[in-house]
Structure formats: C-alpha cells, structure tokens
Amino acid sequence: MEFRMNYVSFYVIQVDGKGDDLHKQYKHFQTMDYEEYSDSALKEFLDGELKKIVNRKVERHPRSEQVPTKLGHFIVEPGHELDSNPNYNVFRRAQVAQSKEEFYQVSEMFVDAYVDASAIRGGAFLVISATLEKYFDEPFIFLLKCDFEPKVASISDESTLIRSVEMAITTKNMKSIQYPYMPEKGMLEPNELKIHQASHARYFEDFLKFVAYGESMPEIQKTQVKSMVQEHVQETFEEDSEELKQFEEDLEIWEASEKRELKERLTTEQVVEATSQMVEENPEIELNMKIGETTVKGKLADYGEDIHLAKVNGRYVLLIESDFIQFDKGVSPIEFQKPNELQDIMNHIMNKERSY
C-alpha cells in the first residue's frame, strides 16, 4: 500500500503559560509538493506512517468510551447534504487543491481551528494530501500532530561530545486524523473520518466542532435498558403519580452512577427476554457484576441459561453452570474438591440464615 504525497504543510505550534496567561501561536515552516517532499528529511520521518494510520483498526461502536481510535461522522441535519457541514467543506477543499498555494490556504484553516481549541499542546502539526494510486484518484487528507521529544541529544564533536537538540519531534504517540475512512481496500466512506490519539484526553478531536462520534457499546446498552425499564414502569404506575415521579428520579441517578445496585424491578422472564434482544444485536456483550466481594465476568448470552440469580432469606445467590472448572493463579485446596449436591448447599445456606 504505497501513497504518493501530493502536498505537505508543516507547522510548529508553541503553547506557553497557563490559565489567563496562556499564549498560543504557530509558525508555518513550509508547504511542499511531491518533488520537494521526495527530497526532504520529512520523507524519511514519515515513511510508513500513513500506511499504519490507514491500517489501524477501529470499531464503529467501541467497547468503552476511552478508546484511542474512534470513527467520526460529519453532522448533517436531515434533508441537507454533506456540504452543509463546515468541517467537511475544509477537508473537501484540501482534497481538490490543485496547487501548493491553494493547499497552504486550506491548511491554514485546519491549524487555525486547532490552535483555537480550548486545550492543545505544542508540537509539530502536519496537513497532508496523499493518493493511494492503486485504488483511488482522489487523495486522502491526513492531519498529524507530533509531540516534542524532551531532553534529546545528538553526537557532536570531540570537545562537546553531545549537544542538545531543541524542538525535536517524534512519531511516538502521534495523533492523527484520516479522511475519508476506508473500511476495506477500495471502499470509502465520504461522510466518515478516523481519529487516533494514544492518550485518553480528547483535545485532538475537540477542534472539529461539527464531527460526532459513534456511541460506545456500554452507552447503547444503557439506553436500551433504560427504555425497556421505562416502558415497564409506565405500564405499572399511573401517569403523573408520585410513584412514577420517584422512579424517574431514581432512574436518573442510576443512569449517572458507575456503581449500581440491584433494583429488583423486573421478573426473571422479562429480564431474559430483554437480554436476548440485546444479545441478538451483539452476541459478544459482556456481563460484569460483583456479588459481595466476588467479581463475576461472563457473557450476557449465558444469563438465564447457565447463569442464574436467586434470593434466599433476603440474601442474593448467584448460580453458575458449567461442564468444567479451571484454575489459574492462587493455588488452593478447592482444586481437589469433590463438589456437593446443590440441594445440600441450599440446605446449608438456609440453615445458616436461620441461625442469625
């Protein structure tokens, strides 16, 4: 997968001070065409990086909010075309640029938007137009942000031995934006772009104000569960009743909480039906729960089939069926136990509860 570099604009961004004394500025060093780039030191620095960016995997609905690579889409109101989105228009102008001067003018729009963002860091900012000639005629646009490498030294002469190199840059933890997104070789999504930032900070995506990102699977699942429970409760309580108002307040607290306790609102049949609908859409949904001090991780698809939740004398009991038990760390005598019959265990639990 070889790219032909059409144009590259190179900037250095400096950020000094903090709070009210924060000062941000940038300097344009050079905009190069194909011939100038081929003879520059930048070629060796960037060789292979665009291929890595394009090949980097991304999930449309990631498993968590804090993933390094996200898929974004241009926000477009219903009934409007892509060119109603200001961010799309800048990327499009960069794609169709026919000269160094034209590409430089568009690059200024990108770097201006980045520097105006609320939280940015100093480093090198590159705007690139590169064509994957084997598959497409139109170029990809890449925005790259490389950090400064602190305390870099290079070999000097016999007297000084080494010298400090100011403002050295590195591709380590490089942030990138690729437009358009290529889900497979030879296929493009003109309304989508791919963004990568190794840190959990969102500052590199925040300067594209008219780009939105797909919900994570946990957020989608939370929305599904909330809708299901709301539907059930609205059938149970009368409209405008105090019980309904209290439940809606409780649901808001539940939605905002990271750690949530069992609410005991739905029957087992209702829960199994709801989970089966979620699993049908995504068979790999995980089930994570903590009962007492014990953490349980499994698949939601197994709930109601191999994983069962019960209550005995006011206490919770979790039952897990399996054809085998495997041990990893923490060797214990349990590895040699001959399991008791389930009824014996239940009798033990009930007798233990009666003694309280």
Side-chain angles (χ1 to χ4, degrees), residues 9 40 126 155 168 178 181 185 219 250 260 264 306 311:
S9 284
S40 73
L126 288 79
I155 302 299
Q178 168 203 329
Y181 170 53
K185 291 179 180 179
E219 284 298 317
D250 293 342
R260 304 168 300 278
E264 299 193 27
D306 296 323
K311 205 169 185 182

Side-chain angles (χ1 to χ4, degrees), residues 173-192:
N173 296 330
M174 181 172 68
K175 291 81 177 167
S176 67
I177 295 174
Q178 168 203 329
Y179 174 77
Y181 170 53
M182 184 172 71
E184 344 180 328
K185 291 179 180 179
M187 181 184 297
L188 295 178
E189 292 290 349
N191 64 325
E192 293 181 326

Side-chain angles (χ1 to χ4, degrees), residues 47-284:
D47 262 358
E49 291 301 322
L50 300 190
K51 182 178 178 180
K52 290 180 187 177
I53 292 170
V54 170
N55 286 336
R56 185 174 284 129
K57 300 298 182 183
V58 62
E59 294 181 279
R60 191 167 297 280
H61 298 292
R63 294 187 179 186
S64 73
E65 292 292 317
Q66 304 298 335
V67 292
T69 310
K70 296 181 181 180
L71 198 60
H73 62 272
F74 296 109
I75 301 170
V76 178
E77 293 294 329
H80 291 75
E81 300 296 329
L82 265 177
D83 58 11
S84 65
N85 183 292
N87 291 151
Y88 165 79
N89 288 334
V90 182
F91 278 99
R92 185 60 185 154
R93 283 184 60 184
Q95 274 190 305
V96 299
Q98 297 297 313
S99 66
K100 275 202 314 181
E101 179 60 28
E102 193 175 346
F103 188 77
Y104 160 69
Q105 291 174 359
V106 183
S107 299
E108 289 282 304
M109 300 174 72
F110 281 122
V111 73
D112 277 335
Y114 178 74
V115 172
D116 282 344
S118 58
I120 67 166
R121 299 176 187 176
F125 189 91
L126 288 79
V127 184
I128 297 170
S129 168
T131 304
L132 198 54
E133 292 181 309
K134 183 177 178 180
Y135 298 102
F136 310 107
D137 295 327
E138 286 198 336
F140 287 84
I141 302 301
F142 296 91
L143 308 183
L144 308 184
K145 165 62 173 46
C146 305
D147 293 332
F148 290 135
E149 183 74 45
K151 299 180 181 178
V152 175
S154 66
I155 302 299
S156 181
D157 53 38
E158 294 85 349
S159 59
T160 57
L161 297 183
I162 62 172
R163 66 184 179 88
S164 174
V165 180
E166 295 183 5
M167 291 170 51
I169 61 174
T170 175
T171 58
K172 181 183 178 182
N173 296 330
M174 181 172 68
K175 291 81 177 167
S176 67
I177 295 174
Q178 168 203 329
Y179 174 77
Y181 170 53
M182 184 172 71
E184 344 180 328
K185 291 179 180 179
M187 181 184 297
L188 295 178
E189 292 290 349
N191 64 325
E192 293 181 326
L193 47 76
K194 183 167 64 175
I195 181 169
H196 176 80
Q197 47 190 1
S199 68
H200 293 324
R202 293 182 51 181
Y203 75 92
F204 192 59
E205 68 188 57
D206 284 344
F207 76 102
L208 296 177
K209 301 183 185 300
F210 303 98
V211 171
Y213 301 87
E215 284 187 306
S216 66
M217 284 308 303
E219 284 298 317
I220 292 173
Q221 292 164 26
K222 184 181 288 187
T223 301
Q224 289 175 329
V225 172
K226 181 180 177 181
S227 299
M228 175 198 67
V229 175
Q230 281 177 323
E231 182 179 342
H232 165 73
V233 170
Q234 286 168 357
E235 293 174 354
T236 304
F237 298 131
E238 293 183 7
E239 189 176 355
D240 297 328
S241 66
E242 288 300 319
E243 293 88 348
L244 183 58
K245 290 178 182 177
Q246 182 60 53
F247 171 77
E248 289 174 345
E249 290 179 9
D250 293 342
L251 196 59
E252 287 182 9
I253 296 172
W254 169 84
E255 190 175 13
S257 302
E258 290 187 9
K259 296 182 179 181
R260 304 168 300 278
E261 293 187 1
L262 195 64
K263 297 299 182 186
E264 299 193 27
R265 287 281 185 182
L266 305 176
T267 66
T268 299
E269 291 74 18
Q270 288 172 319
V271 170
V272 170
E273 182 183 352
T275 55
S276 65
Q277 293 174 7
M278 296 173 66
V279 168
E280 189 175 345
E281 295 178 12
N282 182 7
E284 299 303 316

